[in-house]
């Protein structure tokens, strides 16, 4: 049995599929994986014995600026990525029994699976990415946000925007494959039975009769790597610090700096994660330390709170560790959604990164560090599921058999 996995994006897009790959391999499935050609993804897949089939340009280079590219450049980039998928995926899927994809960027994948006559599965890492009257669509970079507050109307407009961006390109490729055109690109990509790879305690799918969603739980792997000696020395030298990091995203420069200054003003020790933004906002001192890539699973059990951008993976890992969170989301993809979930579960505080005030930041830090918040976060941690990737792997293998 052979399965092709495919995604395009940052580490938060790739790592869940790595987890699924490992669980599928344990069931005897041969894995191929399409992903961006960034060197760290090549190494990561090599570690689990999977060869990366590169699609599109490296992602990290795109994330170097302090802002996203202009709308016209993003539009061109998106269509070029669709072309790249039709160039690469047909050969990559040869001999495969199924194609599992994650992310709306996988515009061409279902058509390739259809032409090959194999099983197609679309997976989302957050409920907010799938249409429901219970939430609005996530913000999509370069596209205007509708003024209406009605969720169903917003989803209808979202489908129109996806069509405007992709329909001509997608249907041109489908015609070349002898396939009929599609009139709703977004729902075509999602399929009529998508999977939701998100924890049901942290982000449950709301009952939505028009869409049959299978929620497997979040896809992740244990990460028991030991922490570096210098980091351990800092942790052992005082009270648990507050972690500040923005993962693969580059926040406005002052956000990280202001967060560190506020934490230190409240007498907190601080850990700053460089991330892809290569943050360097504080000198290493007795109360502040800068770190590179480490195991969040190992680290978060030793911090007082986690300040982050609202990525699905960071939100999940912090919640599983039972520590409070301060989420400063960029207005991008599912970041605002995870911020809202932290606030709704009362395990931290959510801020608006685009209009962050000093008073709001002060209150958020105090809220996250309050005894009641710490107690709620600690209570939630043991309830987080850890078997989502295994559930998904068995579901896929059983369906193929």
């Amino acid at each position: 049995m052979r399965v092709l996995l495919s995604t395009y994006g940052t580490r938060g897009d790739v790592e869940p599929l790595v987890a699924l790959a490992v669980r599928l391999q344990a069931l005897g499935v041969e894995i191929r994986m399409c992903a961006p050609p960034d060197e760290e993804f090549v190494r990561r897949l090599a570690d689990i014995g999977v060869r990366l089939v590169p699609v599109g340009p490296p992602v990290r280079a795109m994330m170097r600026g302090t802002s996203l590219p202009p709308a016209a450049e993003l539009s061109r980039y998106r269509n070029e990525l669709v072309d790249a998928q039709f160039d690469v995926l047909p050969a990559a899927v040869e001999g495969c029994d199924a194609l599992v994809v994650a992310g709306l960027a996988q515009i061409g994948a279902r058509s390739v699976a259809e032409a090959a006559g194999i099983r197609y599965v679309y997976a989302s890492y957050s409920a907010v990415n799938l249409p429901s009257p219970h939430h609005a669509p996530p913000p999509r970079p370069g596209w205007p946000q509708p003024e209406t507050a009605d969720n169903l109307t917003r989803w209808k407009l979202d489908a129109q925007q996806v069509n405007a961006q992709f329909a001509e390109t997608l249907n041109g490729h489908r015609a070349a494959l002898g396939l009929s055109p599609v009139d709703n690109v977004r729902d075509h990509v999602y399929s009529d039975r998508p999977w939701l790879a998100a924890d049901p305690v942290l982000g449950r799918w709301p009952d939505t009769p028009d869409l049959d969603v299978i929620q497997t739980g979040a896809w992740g792997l244990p990460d028991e790597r030991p922490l570096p000696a210098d980091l351990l020395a800092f942790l052992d030298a005082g009270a648990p610090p507050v972690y500040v990091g923005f993962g693969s995203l580059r926040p406005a420069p002052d956000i990280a700096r202001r967060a560190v200054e506020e934490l230190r003003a409240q007498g907190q020790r601080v850990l700053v994660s460089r991330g892809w933004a290569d943050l360097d906002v504080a000198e290493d001192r007795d109360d502040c330390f800068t770190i590179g890539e480490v195991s969040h699973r190992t680290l978060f059990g030793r911090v007082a709170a986690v300040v982050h951008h609202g990525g699905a993976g960071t939100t999940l890992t912090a919640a599983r560790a039972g520590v409070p969170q301060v989420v400063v989301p960029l207005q991008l993809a599912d970041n605002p959604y995870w911020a809202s979930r932290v606030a709704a579960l009362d395990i931290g505080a959510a801020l608006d990164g685009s209009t962050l005030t000093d008073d709001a930041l002060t209150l958020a830090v105090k809220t996250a560090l309050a005894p009641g918040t710490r107690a709620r976060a600690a209570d939630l941690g043991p309830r987080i599921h850890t078997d989502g990737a295994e559930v998904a792997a068995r579901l896929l293998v059983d369906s193929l058999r």
Side-chain angles (χ1 to χ4, degrees):
M1 190 178 296
R2 184 180 296 131
V3 172
L4 176 65
L5 308 178
S6 182
T7 192
Y8 189 84
T10 63
R11 183 177 178 182
D13 298 286
V14 174
E15 278 296 324
L17 281 186
V18 169
L20 180 62
V22 170
R23 298 309 183 200
L24 286 169
Q25 286 175 318
L27 296 176
V29 180
E30 181 184 335
I31 299 298
R32 297 173 184 168
M33 186 163 170
C34 292
D38 296 74
E39 182 60 31
E40 67 184 82
F41 300 149
V42 174
R43 292 195 305 268
R44 183 71 177 103
L45 291 179
D47 288 343
I48 63 169
V50 173
R51 182 178 64 88
L52 183 147
V53 180
V55 177
V59 170
R60 190 160 187 163
M62 286 190 61
M63 309 299 289
R64 286 177 179 162
T66 57
S67 61
L68 290 169
E73 185 176 340
L74 281 171
S75 178
R76 175 183 57 79
Y77 177 79
R78 285 168 171 144
N79 281 329
E80 288 177 352
L81 185 57
V82 176
D83 292 337
Q85 289 167 6
F86 279 101
D87 287 341
V88 173
L89 264 63
V93 84
E94 286 184 3
C96 291
D97 302 288
L99 172 56
V100 179
V101 307
L104 179 62
Q106 299 299 297
I107 297 297
R110 185 176 181 183
S111 299
V112 172
E114 185 179 343
I118 64 173
R119 173 83 187 278
Y120 169 83
V121 176
Y122 174 83
S124 172
Y125 301 146
S126 302
V128 73
N129 293 322
L130 300 173
S132 171
H134 300 288
H135 53 245
R140 304 194 192 276
W143 294 354
Q145 292 298 303
E147 297 180 359
T148 177
D150 179 70
N151 288 339
L152 289 178
T153 301
R154 290 173 70 103
W155 279 109
K156 181 178 179 180
L157 294 172
D158 178 74
Q160 292 172 1
Q161 289 179 325
V162 175
N163 275 351
Q165 170 73 70
F166 295 115
E168 182 177 356
T169 300
L170 174 63
N171 284 326
H173 284 289
R174 287 180 62 84
L177 294 173
L179 302 175
S180 59
V182 298
D183 57 10
N184 186 321
V185 175
R186 186 198 65 203
D187 291 356
H188 162 80
V189 172
Y190 288 162
S191 80
D192 57 1
R193 204 178 194 201
W195 290 4
L196 176 56
D199 184 80
V201 173
L202 197 59
R204 179 174 292 279
W205 172 249
D207 183 29
T208 304
D210 294 338
L211 194 60
D212 184 13
V213 173
I214 299 175
Q215 186 160 13
T216 64
W219 299 348
L221 292 172
D223 185 358
E224 308 300 336
R225 289 175 295 162
L227 300 176
D230 56 351
L231 173 55
L232 285 172
F234 177 77
L235 293 171
D236 292 338
V242 175
Y243 169 96
V244 177
F246 293 88
S248 303
L249 301 182
R250 183 179 292 273
D254 67 319
I255 290 180
R257 175 187 56 79
R258 289 163 64 191
V260 170
E261 290 177 352
E262 177 58 39
L263 289 164
R264 295 171 77 176
Q266 294 192 30
Q268 297 296 322
R269 300 199 318 144
V270 186
L271 273 176
V272 177
S273 175
R274 293 188 183 91
W276 278 18
D278 198 23
L279 294 179
D280 187 13
V281 296
E283 298 177 0
D284 289 351
R285 295 168 35 174
D286 290 345
D287 67 343
C288 193
F289 191 74
T290 303
I291 60 174
E293 162 63 19
V294 301
S295 167
H296 283 175
R297 190 77 62 89
T298 307
L299 174 62
F300 284 0
R302 298 201 57 181
V303 302
V306 175
V307 179
H308 64 99
H309 61 294
T314 308
T315 306
L316 175 72
T317 305
R320 184 178 291 161
V323 295
Q325 307 181 43
V326 175
V327 187
V328 189
L330 307 182
Q331 295 305 306
L332 183 70
D334 59 355
N335 295 168
Y337 167 77
W338 289 115
S340 71
R341 293 303 303 148
V342 167
L345 291 166
D346 213 6
I347 57 172
L351 294 167
D352 184 347
S354 61
T355 58
L356 182 61
T357 66
D358 290 340
D359 288 345
L361 180 58
T362 299
L363 180 59
V365 170
K366 290 181 177 178
T367 298
L369 296 175
T373 309
R374 292 202 303 268
R376 286 186 294 273
D379 178 68
L380 182 75
R383 296 159 49 201
I384 300 295
H385 295 227
T386 60
D387 62 347
E390 183 174 354
V391 169
R394 292 189 178 279
L395 182 64
L396 180 63
V397 169
D398 288 346
S399 70
L400 294 176
R401 286 176 177 161

